[in-house]
Amino acid sequence: MKTKLDIPGVDSDLLAKDAGKLLSPLSRRAFLRGSGSLGSLVLLTGCDVVDGTSAENLLREVSKINDDIQALLYSVDRLAPVYTEADITRPFPFNAFYDRADAPEIEASEWRLQVSGLVRETAPWSLADLNALPRESQITKHICIEGWSAIGKWSGPRLGHFLQRIGADLGAQYVGFRCEDRYQTSLDMATALHPQTQMSLSFDGRTLPREYGFPLKIRVPTKLGFKNPKHVYELFVTNDYPGGFWEDRGYNWFSGL
Ligand SMILES: Nc1nc2c(c(=O)[nH]1)N[C@H]1C(S)=C(S)[C@@H](COP(=O)(O)O)O[C@H]1N2
Ligand SMILES: [Mo]
């Protein structure tokens, strides 16, 4: 492998520092145990860093190693902690990339969940169809990257059961979600199949309120809040990295807890 460490316009020490910050704690330890230099990052990623663009690619590769390591450590047997009714946070905080008053208003009778990509049955689902599926309830903690957390109660069908039901390719890499407010996010298949990953139709004992994601939110208690899409209208299964609203703006894609 040819490695050139003099990059015109790029400070190699700063680049190594930046990239080191992107690593998960586990791979960072391994990185620092080595020389912690740009050279060792080049070895780790196999990237040939010769200019600003390849420096960017190197940072992207490092972020992917981070995702891969987190995915490897992720276990469908490891459950997020569950809480009691007495622990529920009321009122529950609202968050979105806009103000509460601007949350989308969705007409229940017109709404359909579209299903696409690597699935056998692509027929859309009405809210009544989803409401007819067996439900589970969870009281879990939502943790937002912005520094707050809150305990809430959600119920709805298990996403894993739904994916089986529609004949999704469970060996595919990603399940992506598109939302009515143009938000989107995606999960690795292991997380989509996790027993606590839920298609939430109800919140705190009533129909999901408008601002909390009516009519459908995907509740993922093993991930940070931004990986929990509200107002979902499309679910797709794919092997092409789908990214997401915040993921495309630099948040770590895996963001597991
Ligand atoms: N459609 C949609 N889903 C979204 C968001 C959003 O802006 N739009 N924000 C995410 C973030 S960052 C958080 S913390 C939670 C907030 O959910 P809550 O309003 O139920 O607390 O929704 C997540 N899902
Ligand atoms: Mo968030």
Side-chain angles (χ1 to χ4, degrees), residues 48-107:
D48 194 9
V49 182
V50 291
D51 54 24
T53 311
S54 46
E56 244 172 61
N57 285 337
L58 178 129
L59 290 179
R60 210 167 293 130
E61 283 307 314
V62 167
S63 185
K64 264 196 220 127
I65 290 175
N66 190 0
D67 289 337
D68 291 350
I69 287 181
Q70 291 186 70
L72 269 173
L73 293 174
Y74 187 79
S75 162
V76 286
D77 302 327
R78 215 187 79 206
L79 297 179
V82 293
Y83 300 85
T84 67
E85 293 273 346
D87 300 319
I88 294 176
T89 308
R90 296 190 181 96
F92 196 86
F94 163 85
N95 198 24
F97 65 92
Y98 44 77
D99 293 338
R100 182 188 285 258
D102 297 327
E105 272 181 65
I106 293 155
E107 183 51 58

Side-chain angles (χ1 to χ4, degrees), residues 95-96 142-148 183 224-227 246 251:
N95 198 24
H142 171 113
I143 301 173
C144 174
I145 200 166
E146 290 170 23
W148 57 270
Y183 193 82
L224 284 174
F226 79 90
K227 304 291 288 183
W246 288 117
Y251 284 180

Side-chain angles (χ1 to χ4, degrees), residues 136-158:
E136 291 172 357
S137 193
Q138 63 172 280
I139 301 176
T140 49
K141 190 184 271 180
H142 171 113
I143 301 173
C144 174
I145 200 166
E146 290 170 23
W148 57 270
S149 70
I151 293 170
K153 180 178 171 182
W154 293 269
S155 56
R158 213 188 264 200

Side-chain angles (χ1 to χ4, degrees), residues 100-130:
R100 182 188 285 258
D102 297 327
E105 272 181 65
I106 293 155
E107 183 51 58
S109 59
E110 282 162 22
W111 180 87
R112 294 289 179 279
L113 175 66
Q114 294 163 44
V115 169
S116 63
L118 306 171
V119 300
R120 201 178 50 232
E121 287 164 37
T122 55
W125 289 65
S126 71
L127 198 47
D129 294 335
L130 289 181

Side-chain angles (χ1 to χ4, degrees), residues 189-200:
M189 184 59 78
T191 299
L193 297 175
H194 187 280
Q196 288 171 310
T197 301
Q198 183 184 85
M199 300 171 85
S200 303

